[in-house]
Amino acid sequence: MALVTSKDLLQQAQAEGFAVGAFNANNMECVKAVVEAAEEERAPVILQVSQGAIRYAGLEMATAMVKTMAAQASVPVVLHLDHGTSYEQNVQCLHAGFTSLMFDGSARPLEENIAVSAKICEMAHVVGIPVEAELGKIPLIEDFTNWDEVTEIRKRSHSEQVQWLRERAGAKVEELMADPAQAKSFVESTGVDSLAAAVGSIHGMWDDIWPLRRDRIEELRKATDRPLVCHGSSGVIRTRKEAEEKGIELRPEECTLEEAVKIGICKVNVATAISMVFLKGAKEAWDKKPNEKDLRKILLPGQQAAKELVRSYIRLFGASGKAGEGVSKIEKSEVKHAE
Ligand code: G3H
Ligand code: ZN
């Protein structure tokens, strides 16, 4: 199947009350994990190329991996630029064949964010490519702590971890959330197709324990008809049941990822959780066979673990079965391929 744009997909998601999962194209194994899971779930999916992936694999390689998998896939696949840094980078990605763009102007003054987002939309819309833009700021966990401290904090119970994070980061995360009144004028002045609005999440969390702000999502939903995108979703508590099991109490104005989809989130970005489960799967395989010399036999269990996590997110978002029927040309990854 040829690549599709995110525009129709997100509109379908909005109309039918599900969300499209957006996962990062960090290496071949991750790309395969995502597309195989999406095919088995009959779900449309977004593969996004982050700034880190561009530095790691190079734009050409990252793009080629997604295009190759999409051509063999029997489900719709979007090639999306994640956190695009400039007008020039968006032009470059449009030229490279991306079917969905993003500009993250959250570190710039609002006027500049509006001006650059509008310019990218004007350019991309000429050829029918949609653009996502960020409003408010979704911070990084590293803005509040470092990984050594996280290693210590993780030894505490889940509820204590959340309490610690509320004290350390809660006020700042709230201050950075997107303003619904600004969202309305931002969308009107820029013409963006979807809005990466800060709704309480934090990028790059170590576990899914943190709530989203239900009240802000609802206000944004009323302020604009554009599909809302949730970034930093690895750290978001997935369901009420999981919150109870982890002993995490949500405040009345908060919600889980599952609930956020029900009230209007149409695209959910998950990166860190996939990376961590991949590493865990590979490490377990290597711990079991420390003398293994074939890297594929170590990476493949990581890929399978990533695939199962992608599948569980697709199900959580209600996207299973939303791609219709199709015939795949993808050869499924099995251990025998590593011979
Ligand atoms: O743009 C990418 C995402 O927002 C991923 O965030 O690594 O916290 O899941 P995450
Ligand atoms: Zn993000």
Side-chain angles (χ1 to χ4, degrees):
M1 189 174 261
L3 287 167
V4 299
T5 78
S6 56
K7 185 153 184 152
D8 290 346
L9 269 191
L10 296 189
Q11 278 173 355
Q12 181 198 351
Q14 195 166 42
E16 297 178 20
F18 71 95
V20 184
F23 306 98
N24 284 28
N26 283 331
N27 62 9
M28 182 200 75
E29 289 77 12
C30 287
V31 171
K32 290 192 85 167
V34 169
V35 178
E36 286 184 10
E39 282 210 310
E40 287 173 19
E41 290 300 310
R42 305 301 315 147
V45 77
I46 296 172
L47 271 162
Q48 45 191 27
V49 177
S50 68
Q51 300 306 308
I54 293 172
R55 285 191 295 274
Y56 179 67
L59 182 62
E60 208 176 329
M61 178 64 83
T63 306
M65 287 190 299
V66 177
K67 283 184 178 174
T68 301
M69 277 303 278
Q72 297 171 21
S74 61
V75 292
V77 177
V78 175
L79 169 55
H80 176 76
L81 170 64
D82 192 28
H83 292 283
T85 52
S86 63
Y87 175 79
E88 290 73 16
Q89 187 181 59
N90 271 272
V91 173
Q92 208 183 2
C93 288
L94 186 65
H95 186 248
F98 279 58
T99 54
S100 185
L101 297 174
M102 180 185 179
F103 176 62
D104 175 359
S106 62
R108 306 190 191 203
L110 182 63
E111 300 318 310
E112 201 179 323
N113 187 2
I114 292 173
V116 181
S117 300
K119 199 172 155 196
I120 293 169
C121 286
E122 198 183 352
M123 172 268 302
H125 289 170
V126 172
V127 284
I129 297 300
V131 179
E132 174 185 326
E134 182 159 332
L135 186 65
K137 185 168 178 54
I138 301 120
L140 280 171
I141 188 61
E142 287 82 359
D143 296 341
F144 307 108
T145 183
N146 59 59
W147 222 243
D148 287 341
E149 192 178 25
V150 166
T151 308
E152 287 308 307
I153 298 299
R154 288 181 78 180
K155 292 175 185 159
R156 302 182 188 173
S157 71
H158 287 115
S159 63
E160 285 168 338
Q161 291 177 42
V162 173
Q163 189 50 36
W164 173 84
L165 197 52
R166 284 192 194 282
E167 284 161 21
R168 177 64 68 92
K172 188 68 189 169
V173 173
E174 175 159 5
E175 183 193 315
L176 293 172
M177 289 199 302
D179 174 347
Q182 264 178 16
K184 187 172 166 16
S185 57
F186 185 83
V187 160
E188 285 165 2
S189 347
T190 57
V192 291
D193 302 273
S194 57
L195 196 60
V199 290
S201 61
I202 303 171
H203 277 117
M205 286 273 295
W206 62 89
D207 202 354
D208 47 342
I209 56 173
W210 189 244
L212 290 173
R213 283 288 294 269
R214 169 200 297 277
D215 52 347
R216 192 53 61 102
I217 299 170
E218 285 170 344
E219 290 164 36
L220 286 160
R221 193 69 192 79
K222 280 185 205 143
T224 173
D225 61 351
R226 298 306 142 95
L228 298 175
V229 180
C230 184
H231 279 246
S233 311
S234 291
V236 179
I237 187 88
R238 291 161 47 116
T239 64
R240 285 275 157 179
K241 191 165 171 278
E242 285 180 22
E244 272 167 36
E245 284 165 3
K246 289 179 171 173
I248 298 168
E249 265 186 49
L250 271 62
R251 295 171 176 168
E253 69 275 19
E254 296 174 341
C255 69
T256 65
L257 200 49
E258 183 179 48
E259 291 162 347
V261 171
K262 293 209 170 91
I263 59 173
I265 295 288
C266 300
K267 170 175 178 266
V268 183
N269 291 9
V270 188
T272 306
I274 309 296
S275 174
M276 288 177 74
V277 83
F278 188 115
L279 289 174
K280 189 167 178 279
K283 183 176 184 305
E284 282 169 5
W286 207 5
D287 285 346
K288 264 189 224 151
K289 289 177 82 180
N291 295 325
E292 180 57 61
K293 65 171 185 173
D294 185 338
L295 70 90
R296 295 165 298 186
K297 290 183 178 165
I298 303 302
L299 292 182
L300 198 55
Q303 180 181 318
Q304 300 295 1
K307 176 177 165 180
E308 290 316 310
L309 186 59
V310 169
R311 185 199 306 285
S312 80
Y313 273 111
I314 286 172
R315 289 183 180 175
L316 184 72
F317 305 155
S320 301
K322 296 293 184 182
E325 292 308 309
V327 182
S328 174
K329 286 177 273 173
I330 291 175
E331 209 182 335
K332 292 282 156 24
S333 307
E334 289 170 23
V335 180
K336 64 179 162 56
H337 293 158
E339 298 298 337

